[in-house]
Amino acid sequence: MTALLLTRRLRPAELATADALLSAAVGGLLGPYAALESPLHGGVREPLWVSVLVGMALGLPLAVRRRWPVTVALVISSVAAVALVTGVIPNYAAAAPGLAIGLSVYPVAVSATTRRAVLGGAGCLALVSVALVLTASDLWSRTGAVGYAAVMVVPAWMIGWLVRERRALAARQGEHLVRQAAAEERLRVARELHDVVAHTLSLIVVKAAVANHVAETDPREAGAALRVIEATGRTALTDIRRVLGALREGTPYAPTPGLDELPALAEQAAIGGVDVRLDVRREEPAATVPESVGLSVYRIVQEAVTNVVKHAAPAACRATVTVTPCEVRIEVTDDGRRPVLAVGEGHGLIGMRERVTLHGGEFNAGPRSGGGFAVTASLPYRAAT
């Protein structure tokens, strides 16, 4: 039970209970302490009830120190100052009320606003300093009295301020992590949606153009093109639901496409007029590719083939995927029957580069010396043991 309390932050009810016990303990100790301390130089001893009352006045306000931190700190400091000036607690015994003052100043620095924390701490320091100076006997003891007051107030206030800054830093770091996670998730969804939409719409546009061209002369071919459009659209809707469904709480994450779905991807590309020769090689010893790497490989090949459909169809394309025990290498090339007018990287190339970078790999894309276009990538991974 004790270990559990030390490893988690206490709830408000538990903090209130701890402050109540602390208040009773401090009040119960300071009252008898004030009664037992004898004044120097034959001074008059106060009645017992006065000592008990002073002890209670110093201890009981601690029960609400977290609710009204500045008020409690000033009340306890004022009571301590009066007790020191009147001699109820001799100045040489000021360490006893100093405990109550320190316990009251700590939450001021932790929870009050910056202005109230500074003013509250300064007010407590001033009250105790004045009380100790008024009861001092010479210049040196007055100078020492101010330092003694600072020892009672400043360390507790500084500890509270450090705790405050540490909590503020932890809160800022937590907010930063939340914003970073949200940004990464938005980027991931954007990449997925771009790959799904760009690929399927490219095929739909191609087949729609075919259907429109042969609608009157060859209704059968037009119908076949429309069936392809329907099937491609349904596949796209399924992929989009999978991507968006992963964002909803409680929705199971559907299986993601990977290396096993590459042959189907090549068949879809053939619909758009691109002859894809797919070659998936697995070097021994065979290793299980992580799901995230498999999805990235699939999306990179998908985007590369989609670019061929959009920019070079009809064309011949060769996609080679080599799986080794420590990385997956991708090479997608086309014969360049239609020239590519490159004016910079589009979203597709940027998305492919981001996927490779996330896995610490290398990515290159550009025109080939003999014509056509080439996309190469390597995605390292650590095989499951």
Side-chain angles (χ1 to χ4, degrees), residues 161-241:
W161 186 264
L162 291 175
V163 171
R164 171 201 191 103
E165 291 299 308
R166 187 175 184 84
R167 290 178 181 175
L169 177 61
R172 290 194 296 270
Q173 290 176 339
E175 293 175 358
H176 174 72
L177 291 176
V178 169
R179 289 195 299 269
Q180 183 179 5
E184 291 176 353
E185 184 65 12
R186 286 196 300 270
L187 183 61
R188 184 190 68 80
V189 172
R191 282 197 302 264
E192 289 289 302
L193 289 179
H194 172 271
D195 292 344
V196 170
V197 173
H199 176 70
T200 54
L201 284 185
S202 297
L203 296 178
I204 289 173
V205 168
V206 171
K207 298 308 291 185
V210 172
N212 183 57
H213 182 69
V214 301
E216 296 182 357
T217 59
D218 193 348
R220 181 177 298 179
E221 185 176 351
L226 290 176
R227 286 191 292 273
V228 170
I229 291 175
E230 179 185 6
T232 304
R234 291 183 184 278
T235 301
L237 287 176
T238 301
D239 287 343
I240 291 175
R241 289 193 189 100

Side-chain angles (χ1 to χ4, degrees), residues 11-366:
R11 294 189 290 267
E14 294 171 339
L15 291 173
T17 302
D19 285 344
L21 295 175
L22 182 64
S23 168
V26 173
L29 290 174
L30 291 185
Y33 181 84
L36 291 175
E37 285 295 336
S38 301
L40 294 177
H41 310 300
V44 180
R45 179 185 294 273
E46 75 280 355
L48 177 61
W49 66 269
V50 174
S51 300
V52 174
L53 182 62
V54 169
M56 293 176 61
L58 288 172
L60 293 183
L62 293 175
V64 291
R65 63 177 183 152
R66 299 180 195 274
R67 187 169 185 179
W68 300 294
V70 177
T71 301
V72 169
L74 292 176
V75 167
I76 291 179
S77 298
S78 299
V79 172
V82 172
L84 290 170
V85 171
T86 58
V88 176
I89 297 180
N91 60 355
Y92 61 83
L99 172 64
I101 294 171
L103 292 174
S104 66
V105 168
Y106 170 80
V108 172
V110 170
S111 58
T113 62
T114 302
R115 183 171 179 272
R116 288 171 60 84
V118 173
L119 293 179
C124 295
L125 178 60
L127 287 171
V128 180
S129 298
V130 169
L132 291 177
V133 167
L134 290 177
T135 57
S137 57
D138 52 48
L139 180 61
W140 171 251
S141 24
R142 289 176 183 176
T143 303
V146 176
Y148 192 33
V151 169
M152 287 192 292
V153 176
V154 174
W157 191 92
M158 289 299 299
I159 292 174
W161 186 264
L162 291 175
V163 171
R164 171 201 191 103
E165 291 299 308
R166 187 175 184 84
R167 290 178 181 175
L169 177 61
R172 290 194 296 270
Q173 290 176 339
E175 293 175 358
H176 174 72
L177 291 176
V178 169
R179 289 195 299 269
Q180 183 179 5
E184 291 176 353
E185 184 65 12
R186 286 196 300 270
L187 183 61
R188 184 190 68 80
V189 172
R191 282 197 302 264
E192 289 289 302
L193 289 179
H194 172 271
D195 292 344
V196 170
V197 173
H199 176 70
T200 54
L201 284 185
S202 297
L203 296 178
I204 289 173
V205 168
V206 171
K207 298 308 291 185
V210 172
N212 183 57
H213 182 69
V214 301
E216 296 182 357
T217 59
D218 193 348
R220 181 177 298 179
E221 185 176 351
L226 290 176
R227 286 191 292 273
V228 170
I229 291 175
E230 179 185 6
T232 304
R234 291 183 184 278
T235 301
L237 287 176
T238 301
D239 287 343
I240 291 175
R241 289 193 189 100
R242 177 188 58 79
V243 174
L244 298 181
L247 301 178
R248 297 189 180 96
E249 185 176 359
T251 302
Y253 193 80
T256 58
L259 299 180
D260 294 336
E261 284 70 31
L262 288 177
L265 181 63
E267 294 177 2
Q268 286 182 344
I271 298 174
V274 175
D275 179 19
V276 179
R277 288 172 290 175
L278 176 66
D279 185 10
V280 179
R281 307 169 183 173
R282 294 181 180 270
E283 296 183 0
E284 296 296 336
T288 301
V289 177
E291 184 179 283
S292 61
V293 176
L295 174 61
S296 296
V297 171
Y298 180 89
R299 293 303 186 199
I300 291 171
V301 175
Q302 181 186 53
E303 180 61 29
V305 172
T306 299
N307 286 339
V308 178
V309 173
K310 290 192 296 184
H311 301 297
C317 174
R318 182 174 184 84
T320 304
V321 178
T322 305
V323 182
T324 71
C326 59
E327 71 173 359
V328 179
R329 294 191 296 269
I330 305 169
E331 183 179 7
V332 180
T333 60
D334 65 79
D335 57 11
R337 294 180 183 176
R338 182 183 301 176
V340 179
L341 301 178
V343 292
E345 288 193 350
H347 292 292
L349 291 179
I350 293 174
M352 287 191 283
R353 189 180 302 278
E354 287 174 347
R355 290 183 184 276
V356 173
T357 302
L358 285 175
H359 294 281
E362 296 181 356
F363 175 81
N364 290 287

